[in-house]
Amino acid sequence: MNHKKVISAVALTAAGALTLAGCSGGTKGGSTSPSDTGSATTPARDSISIAWEAPLNSLNLTSNNGNATQNTVIASLLDGAFYWYDEDLATQDDESFGTIEKISDDPLQVKYTYAADTNWSDGVPVGAADLLLEWAATSTHFNTVDIEDEVDEEGNIDVADDQVAFNSAITSSQLIEDFPEVSADGKSITFTYSKKYADWQYSFDGRSLPAHIVAKRALGIDDPTAATEALIKAFKDKDNAALAKVSKVWNDDFNFTTLPSEPELYLSNGAYVLKDYVKDQYLTLAANPDYKGARPASIPNVTVRFIEDPMAQVTALQNGEVDLIGPQASADVRTALENLGDQVVTSFGVEGTYEHVDLVFQKGSPFSAATYGGDEEKALKVRQAFLQTIPRQAIVDNLIKSSNPDAAVRNSFILVPGSEGYDEMVAQNGSSAYPDAGDIAKATELLKEAGVDTPVKVRFAFNADNARRVSQFALIQDAAKQAGFDVVDASAPAADWGTLLAQKQSEYDASLFGWQTQSTAVTEADPNYRTGGINNFGLYSSKVVDGLLDELQVETDPAKQLELQIKVEQELWKDAFGTVIFQFPAIHAWTPTLDGVKPSAISPTIFNQYWEWKAAA
């Protein structure tokens, strides 16, 4: 079965919306060297450049193709939102964009209202139709086909022209079954949930596609008001002929890797507008002259240069080609930045991404009961044996401590080390069955008990262009060999890695990658472990876990939420779902003439609080 591609994140007090992590991330904690941005009379620059590792490929952030960190960080400058996270991960409301109000507990009803001055960059007001489109597209309620059966190996879909098929990352919008109520002025929309939902305040942040443009392109209606009215009517009437066209536009038209010839495809409603985009090289943003919100652009022009190599980012900063970087942390990167001394401001700590190994549960994998004629006990022992071989402590000691001397093995799937409840989680979740250093003798014994022929072949998938993961693979391969596993390289280059991971489970048995957090929502981990979850790339399925996740969705008591999370992890460790290894170290650096930089541990990382930036000449 094909499974949908998602690309995001990590829970802080619990779990929200995950994205397949890239290399960059926010810094939480750590140290910062002194900065001298000059006196108040120093003239200010009107432009800066930022290095980022991967290019924008979509402005549809909740489609399966667009749900990626490389897109959300750019969108954070282009679009406003109902709320945002500060550098301490506290939620801050932006009432200049709009408000979120819970108006009823039973049934749960939530009202979103856009501010009067919140407009798209073509002058059309942002309104209820935009959020209605977001709900409808991500809810799956209007699809006439099962998206999972239609996704190809590239993460795209090819269905008949008369089929409604929103290729979306499934979200909490599924919990809203009734058609929402739209206000007479079109500025408010009220959703009624089919059941209680613990994270109702995080269901929609307000970032969406312009409904009037989607309707124009799909239905051929130029007038914005008439277009949005027709769009709402099509959803309300379940007009499949119209919705089939709408879904195709929603899926395809806002994906691009160069500046589109039609400006309507890159409208924004936030502090910046997109001005130029050269494929795989850079994009430029300019201050939105019509923006009237509370988070305006403090620097008129921003260029984002795409530099994948972390050391090349350091060189670009040293040479004055860029002003701000957030490269993947390594000993070489840290040393290079420290050697620059006062030429740069540096920040070290940890980010909201964790490294982990997931096992594949589908037939053909040595970890699937189906491979052994349905023998669950045999498959479990093989999974347990393999996880016992993973040298987590050696990985941390050899690859992470050089960047973060305080680094330690992470032992929770859901909670971040140091967060509230983490110690209690680790004490009870069953992770102690897997020593940090691994246990080769135990692994050998388990394989013998399983009665399988050795060596057991394990195809191990990872990003071949990521040097740290290449090193981790070598350590894992060597340790596993000692217990009776033949771990073979099933990696893919960066360009093909996401497709391999999300769509080609038949080509690998275990995967190594990172999840990066975008939210502090308690249900963030749900898609990772639920049967059919969009982030459940190993195709794991447990009725017990599904039931616990259902309970967690509606539980609002923090103490009971932790109890449920512990129960979820107890099942994951008992079932040998996979393992977790470490929290990513974070390194950020910028020129001393750039002030106000406040990287976040979660997306948008180094782009966080851009409205506070100041650049001296």
Side-chain angles (χ1 to χ4, degrees):
M1 177 184 293
N2 285 323
H3 276 248
K4 294 175 285 182
K5 172 181 168 185
V6 88
I7 307 201
S8 202
V10 138
L12 298 168
T13 58
L18 287 180
T19 266
L20 182 64
C23 300
S24 301
T27 300
K28 183 67 177 163
S31 60
T32 304
S33 61
S35 171
D36 178 11
T37 55
S39 68
T41 59
T42 302
R45 283 187 290 147
D46 66 358
S47 65
I48 62 169
S49 291
I50 302 171
W52 189 252
E53 64 189 5
L56 174 83
N57 61 35
S58 178
L59 287 180
N60 188 351
L61 305 183
T62 51
S63 71
N64 276 316
N65 287 324
N67 182 21
T69 302
Q70 65 206 67
N71 300 322
T72 59
V73 295
I74 302 301
S76 70
L77 279 71
L78 294 172
D79 294 329
F82 290 109
Y83 62 87
W84 54 278
Y85 295 99
D86 65 21
E87 70 272 24
D88 296 317
L89 301 182
T91 305
Q92 303 292 335
D93 296 329
D94 184 357
E95 295 188 0
S96 70
F97 180 82
T99 58
I100 304 175
E101 178 188 7
K102 183 170 70 171
I103 59 177
S104 172
D105 283 309
D106 190 15
L108 175 60
Q109 291 184 314
V110 182
K111 181 179 182 179
Y112 295 80
T113 302
Y114 291 93
D117 291 334
T118 302
N119 298 319
W120 292 103
S121 48
D122 63 354
V124 174
V126 179
D130 300 309
L131 199 51
L132 185 145
L133 173 61
E134 182 71 4
W135 160 74
T138 60
S139 71
T140 72
H141 298 331
F142 297 88
N143 285 351
T144 57
V145 296
D146 186 343
I147 291 296
E148 289 191 8
D149 295 334
E150 305 297 336
V151 177
D152 64 20
E153 292 184 346
E154 303 302 321
N156 300 308
I157 60 172
D158 183 14
V159 298
D161 290 341
D162 61 349
Q163 297 295 323
V164 183
F166 289 99
N167 187 15
S168 166
I170 300 173
T171 70
S172 57
S173 53
Q174 279 193 316
L175 301 176
I176 303 168
E177 297 179 354
D178 294 339
F179 200 82
E181 178 185 345
V182 176
S183 65
D185 64 359
K187 295 294 283 186
S188 296
I189 184 169
T190 301
F191 295 106
T192 300
Y193 286 76
S194 57
K195 62 179 182 180
K196 292 181 180 179
Y197 180 52
D199 291 319
W200 60 267
Q201 65 268 48
Y202 302 115
S203 292
F204 304 101
D205 64 5
R207 294 190 173 96
S208 61
L209 295 181
H212 67 289
I213 297 300
V214 173
K216 172 188 174 182
R217 300 177 70 86
L219 307 178
I221 304 173
D222 290 334
D223 179 75
T225 301
T228 54
E229 289 176 351
L231 185 75
I232 294 172
K233 186 176 187 301
F235 281 115
K236 196 166 188 177
D237 295 346
K238 288 198 172 182
D239 180 351
N240 288 341
L243 295 182
K245 299 175 182 178
V246 171
S247 66
K248 183 170 178 56
V249 169
W250 192 90
N251 290 338
D252 300 337
D253 287 19
F254 299 87
N255 303 327
F256 53 84
T257 55
T258 60
L259 191 72
S261 59
E262 300 168 278
E264 65 185 25
L265 293 177
Y266 53 92
L267 297 182
S268 61
N269 56 43
Y272 286 93
V273 292
L274 183 61
K275 299 298 290 185
D276 194 13
Y277 186 11
V278 177
K279 185 176 182 179
D280 295 331
Q281 295 185 43
Y282 66 87
L283 60 77
T284 56
L285 307 168
N288 182 353
D290 299 318
Y291 177 73
K292 296 180 173 62
R295 298 183 291 162
S298 58
I299 297 177
N301 301 286
V302 174
T303 297
V304 180
R305 300 189 181 279
F306 304 117
I307 305 174
E308 183 176 2
D309 185 343
M311 289 301 293
Q313 289 193 25
V314 175
T315 300
L317 180 65
Q318 180 181 11
N319 294 341
E321 299 167 15
V322 299
D323 300 281
L324 172 62
I325 65 173
Q328 179 174 340
S330 70
D332 290 342
V333 168
R334 180 163 186 151
T335 299
L337 288 172
E338 288 176 335
N339 288 340
L340 294 178
D342 292 340
Q343 295 181 58
V344 299
V345 181
T346 54
S347 177
F348 304 105
V350 296
E351 63 174 79
T353 302
Y354 70 95
E355 193 84 329
H356 61 106
V357 171
D358 290 356
L359 306 184
V360 173
F361 285 71
Q362 90 173 359
K363 187 175 182 179
S365 165
F367 306 125
S368 170
T371 302
Y372 308 107
D375 191 333
E376 295 283 357
E377 184 177 357
K378 177 175 287 192
L380 175 61
K381 288 184 182 296
V382 176
R383 293 198 300 272
Q384 291 171 333
F386 184 69
L387 297 181
Q388 289 286 357
T389 71
I390 297 179
R392 299 187 296 158
Q393 189 64 59
I395 290 172
V396 170
D397 290 344
N398 288 287
L399 303 177
I400 307 304
K401 283 193 173 181
S402 57
S403 301
N404 176 17
D406 298 323
V409 171
R410 172 170 162 155
N411 278 300
S412 171
F413 290 103
I414 297 175
L415 301 184
V416 172
S419 66
E420 185 177 355
Y422 177 80
D423 291 341
E424 184 177 352
M425 169 68 83
V426 172
Q428 299 183 42
N429 65 3
S431 60
S432 59
Y434 298 92
D436 293 353
D439 189 335
I440 300 300
K442 180 65 173 178
T444 304
E445 178 186 343
L446 285 165
L447 280 184
K448 184 176 181 180
E449 292 176 4
V452 295
D453 294 333
T454 56
V456 177
K457 182 179 178 181
V458 177
R459 299 166 299 170
F460 201 82
F462 58 95
N463 180 349
D465 292 332
N466 186 302
R468 189 162 70 198
R469 295 208 171 102
V470 171
S471 297
Q472 288 182 75
F473 169 73
L475 290 171
I476 292 170
Q477 184 183 47
D478 180 65
K481 182 178 181 180
Q482 299 173 48
F485 288 96
D486 177 20
V487 182
V488 299
D489 187 336
S491 64
D496 302 321
W497 163 238
T499 298
L500 171 66
L501 178 66
Q503 304 295 331
K504 298 182 178 181
Q505 287 88 344
S506 63
E507 297 183 13
Y508 66 90
D509 306 310
S511 60
L512 173 72
F513 64 104
W515 282 128
Q516 183 191 47
T517 257
Q518 292 184 315
S519 163
T520 58
V522 73
T523 57
E524 181 163 272
D526 188 303
N528 292 21
Y529 313 117
R530 181 181 291 279
T531 300
I534 56 172
N535 298 341
N536 185 355
F537 298 143
L539 312 182
Y540 169 77
S541 179
S542 166
K543 291 182 179 179
V544 176
V545 170
D546 291 348
L548 290 168
L549 293 174
D550 286 343
E551 291 184 53
L552 187 59
Q553 280 191 340
V554 300
E555 183 53 67
T556 57
D557 183 327
K560 292 181 179 178
Q561 288 174 345
L562 179 58
E563 290 177 9
L564 289 168
Q565 290 171 324
I566 290 174
K567 290 180 180 179
V568 168
E569 289 218 13
Q570 287 172 340
E571 294 297 315
L572 295 175
W573 288 104
K574 184 182 72 175
D575 291 343
F577 167 89
T579 193
V580 285
I581 307 178
F582 59 84
Q583 202 70 23
F584 275 33
I587 295 179
H588 297 106
W590 54 93
T591 174
T593 60
L594 180 61
D595 197 15
V597 178
K598 297 179 179 179
S600 170
I602 63 177
S603 182
T605 65
I606 57 176
F607 297 87
N608 185 52
Q609 293 173 240
Y610 58 82
W611 55 95
E612 297 185 21
W613 294 342
K614 296 289 186 295

